[in-house]
């Protein structure tokens, strides 16, 4: 996550998180530490995984005090081991105490998503299928969670509703049919926008192909039906499998021949990674 992205998109969200945690003051820290005292604290990994969110972690502290120094031993995307020292944070002890929870919340959440994504993506190695996330993200966390998916070896589906056209069952119902929905989308959208159609039956697959969809989503189909759908499409559109895709069942999907598999579980079901700030002391 580069500095331009951080300043334009992430800083405001991080400040919102800090204001949520420190609505008026950190009364506990202010009670025990009324004056500035230099200190340092160690960032320790408490389980194996893929680290993600180091820049966001650091930004929490530097937004509170630009003089805070973070000496990082790892970078986003690195594999880390239980007990490993990942960084030392140095600065005003009041800043270290007040920013601790928000900084860890980001780092634990993002690293958990990167770790889970890495586990799922490894099951697709050697296949032609690309792993995608979805828009099933935590409110105000999408920029961080989708970045974490990329750090874990996955790819991003639409970032938001402006990125592309995805005609789902309710859009199709509103338009009257798949054919009418695709025709309307082609007439309205810029030519650079791809048109994806969600299908649940083979008849819908046939209609989507004939209507000229760029991508056809095979939603909640079993593997045998997906194979038949891929054969019907025959390269005339890209294919995406979606619906209840998890680490436990993704291996079965590889044989279907789909181009993409999207999984909301990457962001909405990934457990956090256990990471702590330890051994705070004055220097």
């Amino acid at each position: 996550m580069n500095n331009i992205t951080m300043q334009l998109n992430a800083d405001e969200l991080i400040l919102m998180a800090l204001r949520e945690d420190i609505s008026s003051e950190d009364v506990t820290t202010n009670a025990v530490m009324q004056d500035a005292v230099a200190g340092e604290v160690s960032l320790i990994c408490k389980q194996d995984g893929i680290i993600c969110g180091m820049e966001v972690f650091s930004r929490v502290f530097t937004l509170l005090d630009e003089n805070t120094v973070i000496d990082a031993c790892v970078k986003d995307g690195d594999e880390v081991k239980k007990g490993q020292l990942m960084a030392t944070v140095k600065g005003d002890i009041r800043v270290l105490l007040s920013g601790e929870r928000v900084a860890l919340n980001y780092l634990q959440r993002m690293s958990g998503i990167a770790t889970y994504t890495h586990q799922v993506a490894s099951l697709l190695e050697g296949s032609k299928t690309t792993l995608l996330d979805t828009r099933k993200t935590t409110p105000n966390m999408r920029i961080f969670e989708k970045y974490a998916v990329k750090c874990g070896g996955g790819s991003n589906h639409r970032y938001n509703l402006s990125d592309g056209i995805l005609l789902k069952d309710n859009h199709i119902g509103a338009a009257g049919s798949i054919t009418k929905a695709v025709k309307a989308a082609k007439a309205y959208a810029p030519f650079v926008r791809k048109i994806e159609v969600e299908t649940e039956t083979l008849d819908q697959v046939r209609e989507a192909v004939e209507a000229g969809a760029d991508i056809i989503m095979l939603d909640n189909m079993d593997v045998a039906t997906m194979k038949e759908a891929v054969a019907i499409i025959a390269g005339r559109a890209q294919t995406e499998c979606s619906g209840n895709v998890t680490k436990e069942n993704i291996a079965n999907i590889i044989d279907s021949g789909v181009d993409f598999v999207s999984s909301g579980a990457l962001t909405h079901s990934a457990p956090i990674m256990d990471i702590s700030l330890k051994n705070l002391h004055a220097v």
Side-chain angles (χ1 to χ4, degrees), residues 248-262:
E248 288 71 28
N249 64 20
I250 197 168
N252 298 327
I253 295 167
I254 299 175
D255 292 337
S256 67
V258 294
D259 298 303
F260 304 97
V261 54
S262 56

Side-chain angles (χ1 to χ4, degrees), residues 193-243:
R193 294 286 196 275
K194 288 189 175 182
I195 297 173
E196 182 170 5
V197 177
E198 179 186 75
T199 62
E200 297 177 347
T201 68
L202 294 178
D203 284 341
Q204 289 179 335
V205 170
R206 294 184 182 94
E207 185 179 359
V209 171
E210 294 304 319
D214 299 300
I215 308 167
I216 298 176
M217 178 187 290
L218 312 176
D219 188 45
N220 282 303
M221 293 183 183
D222 59 43
V223 175
T225 305
M226 280 194 285
K227 284 183 178 180
E228 191 170 350
V230 170
I232 291 169
I233 295 165
R236 289 177 287 174
Q238 291 183 302
T239 53
E240 176 188 341
C241 162
S242 182

Side-chain angles (χ1 to χ4, degrees), residues 14-80:
I14 296 170
L15 285 169
M16 288 171 62
L18 283 166
R19 292 187 185 108
E20 177 184 56
D21 208 35
I22 313 170
S23 59
S24 59
E25 65 168 328
D26 177 354
V27 64
T28 308
T29 294
N30 290 346
V32 301
M33 185 68 61
Q34 297 182 10
D35 298 312
V37 175
E40 69 176 39
V41 66
S42 300
L43 182 67
I44 306 295
C45 179
K46 299 180 74 176
Q47 67 181 89
D48 297 352
I50 304 297
I51 199 68
C52 179
M54 288 297 296
E55 292 101 334
V56 180
F57 170 87
S58 300
R59 195 67 159 180
V60 170
F61 294 107
T62 56
L63 283 172
L64 290 171
D65 181 356
E66 63 181 9
N67 295 315
T68 308
V69 175
I70 295 88
D71 294 324
C73 308
V74 298
K75 64 183 184 301
D76 288 353
D78 283 353
E79 290 191 37
V80 293

Side-chain angles (χ1 to χ4, degrees), residues 143-159:
I143 187 172
F144 307 114
E145 293 179 353
K146 280 186 169 282
Y147 170 71
V149 167
K150 293 178 70 175
C151 282
S155 297
N156 296 149
H157 204 293
R158 294 184 301 170
Y159 182 80

Side-chain angles (χ1 to χ4, degrees), residues 69-219:
V69 175
I70 295 88
D71 294 324
C73 308
V74 298
K75 64 183 184 301
D76 288 353
D78 283 353
E79 290 191 37
V80 293
K81 299 296 183 181
K82 180 178 179 179
Q84 182 174 342
L85 174 67
M86 299 193 296
T88 301
V89 187
K90 302 175 182 177
D92 183 344
I93 287 180
R94 297 171 300 179
V95 170
L96 305 185
L97 289 169
S98 295
E100 174 183 6
R101 184 68 268 155
V102 172
L104 285 175
N105 282 350
Y106 280 119
L107 190 62
Q108 290 175 325
R109 178 72 179 140
M110 294 172 71
S111 297
I113 290 172
T115 299
Y116 185 80
T117 300
H118 177 74
Q119 293 168 352
V120 178
S122 66
L123 299 175
L124 295 174
E125 287 182 1
S127 75
K128 70 166 212 169
T129 304
T130 298
L131 177 65
L132 303 174
D133 58 19
T134 71
R135 285 171 38 248
K136 294 177 181 177
T137 53
T138 310
N140 289 333
M141 281 287 290
R142 184 169 295 172
I143 187 172
F144 307 114
E145 293 179 353
K146 280 186 169 282
Y147 170 71
V149 167
K150 293 178 70 175
C151 282
S155 297
N156 296 149
H157 204 293
R158 294 184 301 170
Y159 182 80
N160 58 37
L161 293 173
S162 299
D163 278 350
I165 296 172
L166 176 47
L167 300 168
K168 305 188 97 174
D169 55 351
N170 286 332
H171 301 102
I172 293 164
S177 69
I178 288 175
T179 301
K180 290 179 180 178
V182 172
K183 182 178 180 180
K186 286 179 178 287
Y188 178 82
F191 74 95
V192 293
R193 294 286 196 275
K194 288 189 175 182
I195 297 173
E196 182 170 5
V197 177
E198 179 186 75
T199 62
E200 297 177 347
T201 68
L202 294 178
D203 284 341
Q204 289 179 335
V205 170
R206 294 184 182 94
E207 185 179 359
V209 171
E210 294 304 319
D214 299 300
I215 308 167
I216 298 176
M217 178 187 290
L218 312 176
D219 188 45

